Amino acid sequence: MNRTVITLALLLVSVFTIQAQSPAEQFWNNLQKHCGKAYEGSLVLPENDPAFGGKRLTMHVRSCSANEIKVPFFVGDDKSRTWVFTLKDGLITLKHDHRHEDGSEDEVTQYGGSASNTGSATTQVFPADQFTASLLPRAASNVWSVNLNETT
């Protein structure tokens, strides 16, 4: 009987811990489940975009730690982009890290933003931050959205 009580108590603690996670933390855990996986996508609009149109688009969820997830994003043969997600104080930030072939930072890098709220377990929205607005005035109103499910 003692074993049953202890098992039930552990189960209740486990359920409470899962329910106590914020939507941002749930999203973070869902993103962590994709670590080690790669996904290919395609550009929907505009189809004739000079940077992305007609090119193979592949993201690799490669580097995952407790507070940082790095996702290299390949556009054709161009491997200069990495999306960097960080979790701090219950909110997630997305930054775009652009590098030259020698590893040095591109002039246009580290732009992005922080989720303005906790989002949901499957969706986070990142409005451009002040750094982005200063670096790329045309991107001051950008909003990046990341949606997850079991397979994408």
Side-chain angles (χ1 to χ4, degrees):
M1 183 127 162
N2 264 349
R3 201 173 285 183
T4 303
V5 171
I6 291 171
T7 302
L8 181 57
L10 289 174
L11 179 61
L12 289 173
V13 168
S14 177
V15 168
F16 177 74
T17 301
I18 291 169
Q19 290 175 345
Q21 289 182 332
S22 72
E25 292 166 326
Q26 292 170 13
F27 178 91
W28 188 262
N29 291 335
N30 285 334
L31 183 55
Q32 290 264 0
K33 291 176 188 175
H34 292 274
C35 287
K37 297 178 184 176
Y39 300 96
E40 191 170 317
S42 61
L43 183 66
V44 177
L45 291 171
E47 291 177 18
N48 59 352
D49 179 273
F52 295 92
K55 296 182 179 166
R56 183 178 181 183
L57 307 176
T58 309
M59 61 173 275
H60 304 265
V61 187
R62 282 210 180 136
S63 172
C64 301
S65 69
N67 295 79
E68 182 180 78
I69 298 174
K70 290 185 177 180
V71 181
F73 177 60
F74 300 166
V75 179
D77 293 330
D78 182 351
K79 299 177 181 177
S80 66
R81 299 167 175 87
T82 300
W83 300 326
V84 181
F85 295 89
T86 55
L87 177 64
K88 183 178 179 187
D89 298 329
L91 293 177
I92 301 172
T93 297
L94 166 65
K95 291 290 184 171
H96 295 77
D97 185 356
H98 290 254
R99 302 278 170 162
H100 296 287
E101 283 188 37
D102 67 2
S104 63
E105 282 194 338
D106 190 273
E107 184 178 301
V108 178
T109 190
Q110 304 308 324
Y111 60 90
S114 295
S116 56
N117 61 38
T118 60
S120 77
T122 58
T123 302
Q124 292 289 307
V125 177
F126 306 93
D129 57 19
Q130 185 57 50
F131 177 81
T132 299
S134 298
L135 179 68
L136 300 165
R138 70 184 184 277
S141 61
N142 277 16
V143 178
W144 296 271
S145 177
V146 178
N147 302 288
L148 299 173
N149 67 35
E150 298 279 326
T151 59
T152 61

